[in-house]
Amino acid sequence: MGFNDLLEIVGGLGRFQVINTTVLLIPMLFLACHNFLQNFSAAIPTHRCWIPGVDNSTITYNQSHLAAFIPLDEDQNAKSCMRFTNLKPFSWTNGTLKKDKEVCKDGWVYDRSVFSSTIVTEWDLVCNHRKMRQVAQSIYMAGVLAGAFVLGSLSDRFGRKAILTSSCLTMAVSGTCAAFLPSFVTYCFFRCLGGMALSGIVLNTISLNLEWTAPKGRTLVGTLFAYGFTCGQLILAGIAYGIRDWRWLQFSVSAPYYIFFLTSWCVPESARWLIINGRTHQALRNLQRVAWINGKREEGEKLSEKVLRTDLTSLLNLPVVLTFKNCTKNLSIWPSPYFLLYLMRFSTSFVFYGIGMDLQNFGVDIFLLQFVFGCIDLPSKLAGAIVMSCIGRRVTQAASLMLAGVAVLCNAFIPKEMRMARLVLAVLGKGSVASSFCCAYIYSSELFPTVIRQSGMGVVGMKARLGSLVAPLVLMLSEISPLFPPAIYGVAAIISGTAAIFLSETSNQQLPDTIEEVEAR
């Protein structure tokens, strides 16, 4: 008897799974808030140079009577980064002005009608320093990447629950520090730390959910996991609309993790992990607890450590410390699928955050657009779940990535004046890649055996976070040509969608526990 059979005895899809999934998924609601937070906390308001002798600390953004001080563009709007060298208003005569221009030397005046404060207005991240806002997002994603690499391995060594609990506390503390410490450097540091915590929460949430759920319920649980992220985008739109100061916005999406830190203590450790590490006594207690909650107390009482040791010999004989690197050396039939899996996850995150982190570029109300982008994920992920159940993981993964790539690539060649067409294609692309994300988490976890699932998910997550790290940097290429970012995102999605065709199918199969089970497939 394998662990999957044992799980069916105590209840693989019952009351316990409902409670456990709910407790684990509530923190997911605020993870999307952190990922997309800089759409609002780093929004760039309309701005112009500060004019000494004219502007003061109480001035509001006003473009009237600026022609004597600020060059105007073809739409008669003040240019953001230039002013005239001679700032005396009487030098403007007879409607003609011939003055030399210079960059802003005394700071900027910002339009605060939409956002009272952002990190852009806080630290003047405009003009020559404009790229620093994208750098800040990439530093955050670098933290997510580092967390996937480090915390995935630590979870296999010290347990899923321990890393989940510590990650919730780290997210709360780092988010609070990022909100109230005074410098841009400390902001980036604690955002990076929060990114690491995010990886710890994501990796262990999905593993604790799937390792306590029977195969027939994994698609449902994985879809709910993805919906938690979607609902977080909707929550962010509402919170950001109500809180226009970036510091209080940052704190508002971080403070709930103090509560989640406490609730995470109620989550039982994965019995699979406990058995592999020889802690059969604690595994037995957890299994009996699950049986009691699921109304199968008699079945639970029949279990004993002797039964676990007898029936799960293959798990108990595995070495306690088993690294991902050492395991993959033995998977001689997998070198190509691993590479394909890395490529798939890289492109999914690359395109997802490439589209989702550039909302101001569409010229639509940013709060409404964030809400729309979140709403489109709801039917997209539902469609992805249905296709996953009916056709399989492989087709779902490949088709969603290809469709996203085509939509984003087409958007590269549509003029900015055609806002509605560009918005429709962006929404289609965002929805398709959201469906890909929904499938990717389930698919990746099903391809790894239990002994290296967290390490494997950590490495795969690292590739995904590498994509999310690079995505904001690609947006900088728009200063060379606006065609570059969407073209790069689109081509990457099409290539990885084609590569996903060659992965093996895992739908309705038992979760593998050992390397031998994987090789037997």
Side-chain angles (χ1 to χ4, degrees), residues 83-143:
R83 70 182 187 185
F84 291 123
T85 303
N86 186 352
L87 298 177
K88 294 180 180 180
F90 58 77
S91 60
W92 174 269
T93 56
N94 299 324
T96 303
L97 186 62
K98 295 181 180 180
K99 291 184 177 180
D100 293 330
K101 301 174 185 177
E102 64 180 3
V103 297
C104 303
K105 293 183 177 180
D106 301 293
W108 288 263
V109 176
Y110 297 96
D111 182 359
R112 300 182 186 272
S113 60
V114 178
F115 297 99
S116 62
S117 174
T118 70
I119 66 170
V120 172
T121 63
E122 182 89 11
W123 295 298
D124 288 332
L125 305 182
V126 292
C127 300
N128 292 337
H129 300 288
R130 185 185 181 96
K131 295 179 180 179
M132 294 306 296
R133 62 188 291 270
Q134 301 294 0
V135 170
Q137 180 67 12
S138 288
I139 290 174
Y140 166 75
M141 289 301 181

Side-chain angles (χ1 to χ4, degrees), residues 167-415:
S167 294
C168 286
L169 181 60
T170 302
M171 177 66 83
V173 174
S174 63
T176 302
C177 292
F180 296 113
L181 291 179
S183 72
F184 180 67
V185 173
T186 55
Y187 168 80
C188 290
F189 173 79
F190 283 106
R191 280 279 287 168
C192 181
L193 198 60
M196 293 184 67
L198 180 138
S199 283
I201 296 171
V202 169
L203 289 172
N204 291 286
T205 295
I206 189 66
S207 286
L208 283 168
N209 269 321
L210 294 181
E211 291 180 2
W212 276 116
T213 305
K216 60 184 179 181
R218 290 204 305 263
T219 299
L220 174 62
V221 170
T223 302
L224 290 174
F225 173 86
Y227 269 121
F229 196 84
T230 296
C231 293
Q233 297 179 61
L234 303 179
I235 291 173
L236 175 61
I239 295 176
Y241 184 82
I243 303 175
R244 305 298 180 91
D245 183 282
W246 79 268
R247 291 188 182 276
W248 287 108
L249 178 60
Q250 172 77 44
F251 178 73
S252 297
V253 299
S254 302
Y257 283 93
Y258 288 109
I259 299 174
F260 301 149
F261 164 70
L262 298 177
T263 59
S264 66
W265 287 92
C266 302
V267 177
E269 179 59 87
S270 167
R272 291 176 187 266
W273 181 85
L274 291 170
I275 293 170
I276 288 173
N277 286 268
R279 295 161 62 175
T280 53
H281 179 68
Q282 187 177 349
L284 176 62
R285 283 192 301 161
N286 286 355
L287 287 167
Q288 290 176 334
R289 176 184 175 189
V290 171
W292 179 75
I293 295 174
N294 283 337
K296 296 187 175 184
R297 177 177 294 182
E298 292 184 5
E299 289 85 344
E301 291 176 348
K302 293 177 181 178
L303 296 177
S304 66
E305 289 189 61
K306 181 178 180 181
V307 171
L308 297 185
R309 291 194 179 99
T310 302
D311 292 339
L312 303 176
T313 304
S314 61
L315 291 183
L316 289 167
N317 290 336
L318 290 171
V320 175
V321 179
L322 191 59
T323 66
F324 175 78
K325 182 177 180 181
N326 291 335
C327 286
T328 52
K329 285 181 179 179
N330 296 324
L331 295 173
S332 57
I333 62 172
W334 268 33
S336 178
Y338 269 129
F339 172 76
L340 298 178
L341 186 61
Y342 297 158
L343 179 62
M344 178 192 77
R345 291 298 305 276
F346 172 88
S347 296
T348 300
S349 287
F350 180 61
V351 179
F352 186 81
Y353 289 104
I355 300 174
M357 288 304 302
D358 196 28
L359 300 189
Q360 281 191 304
N361 186 47
F362 291 97
V364 182
D365 181 82
I366 191 172
F367 304 102
L368 176 61
L369 190 54
Q370 178 68 64
F371 184 79
V372 170
F373 268 25
C375 286
I376 192 60
D377 284 9
L378 297 173
S380 299
K381 290 179 177 178
L382 177 60
I386 294 173
V387 175
M388 272 193 289
S389 298
C390 298
I391 301 178
R393 292 17 173 172
R394 180 171 54 188
V395 173
T396 305
Q397 192 71 74
S400 57
L401 278 171
M402 288 183 184
L403 182 58
V406 170
V408 175
L409 190 59
C410 290
N411 219 349
F413 301 97
I414 296 180

Side-chain angles (χ1 to χ4, degrees), residues 31-88:
L31 290 186
C33 294
H34 283 271
N35 278 353
F36 293 104
L37 187 64
Q38 281 202 193
N39 274 330
F40 305 96
S41 65
I44 304 177
T46 306
H47 53 280
R48 61 168 175 81
C49 292
W50 178 281
I51 309 299
V54 176
D55 295 328
N56 54 60
S57 59
T58 60
I59 195 168
T60 58
Y61 188 86
N62 188 349
Q63 290 205 150
S64 61
H65 309 298
L66 288 178
F69 312 102
I70 306 290
L72 304 180
D73 59 22
E74 58 274 9
D75 297 323
Q76 297 303 302
N77 294 320
K79 290 188 176 181
S80 302
C81 302
M82 301 294 295
R83 70 182 187 185
F84 291 123
T85 303
N86 186 352
L87 298 177
K88 294 180 180 180

Side-chain angles (χ1 to χ4, degrees), residues 384-458:
I386 294 173
V387 175
M388 272 193 289
S389 298
C390 298
I391 301 178
R393 292 17 173 172
R394 180 171 54 188
V395 173
T396 305
Q397 192 71 74
S400 57
L401 278 171
M402 288 183 184
L403 182 58
V406 170
V408 175
L409 190 59
C410 290
N411 219 349
F413 301 97
I414 296 180
K416 283 192 173 183
E417 291 74 20
M418 300 176 64
R419 289 184 178 179
M420 187 54 64
R422 296 182 74 248
L423 184 58
V424 169
L425 283 174
V427 168
L428 176 62
K430 173 67 164 51
S432 299
V433 79
S435 179
S436 172
F437 242 126
C438 178
C439 181
Y441 275 109
I442 302 174
Y443 204 4
S444 300
S445 63
E446 291 177 342
L447 286 169
F448 290 106
T450 301
V451 290
I452 59 166
R453 182 164 294 118
Q454 285 303 85
S455 296
M457 289 288 286

